Amino acid sequence: MKMNTRVAVVLALFSVAALGACRRAAPPPEPTIDTAAIRIAREDSIRREQERRDAEAAQARERARQDSINRARAAEDEARRASDMLRNTLTMGINFDFDRSDLRDDARAALDAKVPILLANSNVTIRVSGHADERGSSEYNLALGQRRAATAKRYLVERGVAEGRIETTSFGEERPVCMESNEGCWSQNRRDEFELTAGGPMLRSGN
């Protein structure tokens, strides 16, 4: 009887030990995977990346647009400066010796600079006004101013500028640029002035 009891106790202890071993060896349960959360996180990451790329593309387009505007403005400014220089050349006056209406060398050079500009801008018309110093009668100086204007016109026409684009007039001694009665002033008053009467908001070079 005692033997059977011992055997029973041993078997019971063995069973308990076996159960404990089984419990220790059992693998942990698999974690629950939240597929919806993973999908949402992935979509959010993709969205943020697309937003970043869209922002960079928008910035690149804006830089390109601004660069294009800046280049256009720079080109317009350069064209305006060039046009102003051409206009200054066209309106630059010439001077004459006392009681003369023939062209000096410096006057020919000034007129030569006008020719290619006038030929390149066929819509431009000009007025040439002749002037004289105070010496001599008003009638004589008016006629002298007209001869001086006609001389400049003839020079330009001989070099290809249409005659109808050049108007001439004379103011004689009526519009001096210097009021003193000395040679320094008289030499400034013996002149032809040039005025643009049509065309020329943006002049093109003849070169």
Side-chain angles (χ1 to χ4, degrees), residues 102-139:
D102 55 318
L103 297 172
R104 306 186 319 203
D105 289 343
D106 59 335
R108 290 190 184 89
L111 292 171
D112 286 338
K114 301 178 193 296
V115 171
I117 303 172
L118 290 169
L119 295 179
N121 298 272
S122 58
N123 62 326
V124 170
T125 60
I126 62 174
R127 178 185 297 117
V128 186
S129 58
H131 300 260
D133 63 40
E134 64 189 46
R135 292 170 294 179
S137 68
S138 297
E139 294 77 9

Side-chain angles (χ1 to χ4, degrees), residues 76-93 110 113-114 116-118 121 123-127 193-206:
E76 289 175 0
D77 290 342
E78 179 61 28
R80 190 174 295 107
R81 286 192 293 270
S83 180
D84 289 344
M85 292 178 62
L86 296 173
R87 185 175 291 102
N88 290 339
T89 299
L90 280 182
T91 57
M92 180 172 57
K114 301 178 193 296
I117 303 172
L118 290 169
N121 298 272
N123 62 326
V124 170
T125 60
I126 62 174
R127 178 185 297 117
E193 291 184 344
F194 298 81
E195 176 188 358
L196 273 67
T197 54
M202 288 296 289
L203 297 172
R204 295 183 293 110
S205 172

